[in-house]
Amino acid sequence: MNVRRMMGVARKTLRSLRHDRRTAGFLVFMPLFMIAIFGYTFGGDLKDVDVVIVNLDAGGENGSMSAMIIEELSSGETLRLTVLEGAGAVDGEQLVRDADAWAAIVFASDFTARADAAVDAMRAGTTAYPGVLSVYLDGTNPNIAQAVLTEIATTMQRVLLAQYGLMPPIAVSGEMIYGEDAEFIDFFAPGVMGLAAMMVTFMLSIISFVHERTTGTLDRLLTTPATEGEIVGGYAAALGLVALVQSVVILVTAVLLFDVEVEGSILLVLATILLLGIGSQGLGFLLSSIAKTEFQAVQFMPIILFPSILLAGVFWPIEAVPELLRPVSYFIPLTYAVEACRSVMIRGWDLGDVWPQLLVLAAFAAAMLILSAYSLKRRR
Amino acid sequence: MSEGTEDGEDRPAVVTRGLGKSFGDVVAVRDLNLEIGRGVMYGLIGPNGSGKTTIIRILSGLLSASTGEAWLLGERVPARANRPRIGYMPQEMAIYTDLTVHENIDLFGEMYSIPAEERAEREDSLLAMIGLKERRDSLVSNLSGGMKHRVSLACALVHDPELVFLDEPTVGVDPELRKGFWDYFANLKARGKTVVLTTHYMDEAVRCDAVGMMRLGRMIAEGAPMELIESTESATLEDAFIAKAREESA
């Protein structure tokens, strides 16, 4: 082993980095970017989960137990409470059904009275009849549903213990509006489907186009009667199909192997993936025009992929993304695809419900295609 | 010069007036006035970096000119309507190495909207011409450099263009094959096609009807190769080029 020769190779490698300033910059910027995004994302707890409260409680001699529980719940950061004035249980339930809230807590009119009676009975050593607290839950995301129930139970326990010095029996009756049998895989599968479609179309597109540019085949195509739109559209069609095939594989595996249930239309799920795939390939195309080599193209991958993986609600809900980064989540197209797929697959929603997400994805796809074709035209 | 689409057969294949191209401060081509007749084999010769490729790229519509104008077959450049009548073989081969020979030729045939049956016929005769009939279904990545060059040429000719631009078609091609290529070009010319090619192998350009000598983005001489050799009392076209370059510098 000749150390000199080995060092020669090392020197050559570092020298070529010196000539490629962008890559050298990337080597410094990338770790910074990664530690920042991972640090902030994992540093966050579940926060600001939207919950509505219907308080029908008439109170008791010592005031209203429900009011005290609500006050205590409000002081925490996990839930973002909205108290519905003059509403009934049905109104709360409807808000959950419309996905405007993750849960609705309904305090019955005799909530305090029952708690008082139960405490009296316990002190007298007679039978205490349990009170009931009804909670309507959206189980689309099992994490959120569980966190809401836990937060309610612990808060209630704290308030009642402080008030009475003992714990009257109160049953929390949770009713799942969606995702009654949902497990984490049900939440997870639509996210992975979207993520896979996005990653593969983006990566294939950026690498293919940089290759087309560096080998001259793109120029050659442009000297034929093929228009810029036809070239971009051809790629979109091919990679859109790749995304579809991939989604079918994931869907079939999830259903057969993991018993994932699809409540809504599979076609609607595939349409969502197709739009996401087309948009992502367009993004890859656009970025390929900035990259001069395949090596530079690779650098775009983490910049695009990490935020999508971490912030788009694939593995944990957007509610668990730290507030600072949450606005970024809404700029990531994958967020909308995951939301739409999840709503269709778990909630059984149809086009009438998920059209806003599909509209965002369609706009993203259209914008990327138009910009791609325009970027080809402009380079002449 | 008309800007209309009607093609008078009498109009030259290529005309440029004051054509120039700059990249930032670097002037790649300056004040080029060309006129190439139909059915002519024309060679742009000169060392690397003399502006040959830039001219071909402007004429093929891949680059916009900074100054001046150009017309191909009577139509002003860039003209999309003209594209089916023009063939272009870039210097860097520019074929899909992950496709077969057939798939490459067929793709370009499709880009020119040639019907499938006709495409198959053209492909057959092109494969015969480039001697790759038995390699039709081979992946291009498995071919030798010379074979790839031939496939690239076939892709440029699949639509039977009237005017063909060949950018350094013989770079990296072995001598035997190079001779074969020049025979193809002569064959194209014999069929009435206009061939405009660039080369820095000046001596092989004697087979052109006319050559334009490029140096530092400027055309320093133009004419029939033998005339240029004789007028400079040189032995070869390369010597003639050097003589002209000295004349210009002086």
Side-chain angles (χ1 to χ4, degrees), chain A residues 33-49:
Chain A
F33 177 73
M34 282 176 69
I35 187 65
I37 196 161
F38 273 96
Y40 278 122
T41 308
F42 286 106
D45 293 322
L46 207 57
K47 226 173 148 185
D48 296 339
V49 176

Side-chain angles (χ1 to χ4, degrees), chain B residues 172-188:
Chain B
V173 176
D174 61 72
E176 196 184 343
L177 183 62
R178 226 186 293 170
K179 187 187 169 299
F181 264 45
W182 280 97
D183 291 342
Y184 300 149
F185 307 155
N187 176 268
L188 286 173

Side-chain angles (χ1 to χ4, degrees), chain A residues 48-67:
Chain A
D48 296 339
V49 176
D50 278 312
V51 170
V52 293
I53 292 194
V54 177
N55 191 2
L56 307 171
D57 187 14
E61 286 170 12
N62 305 318
S64 165
M65 272 303 112
S66 58

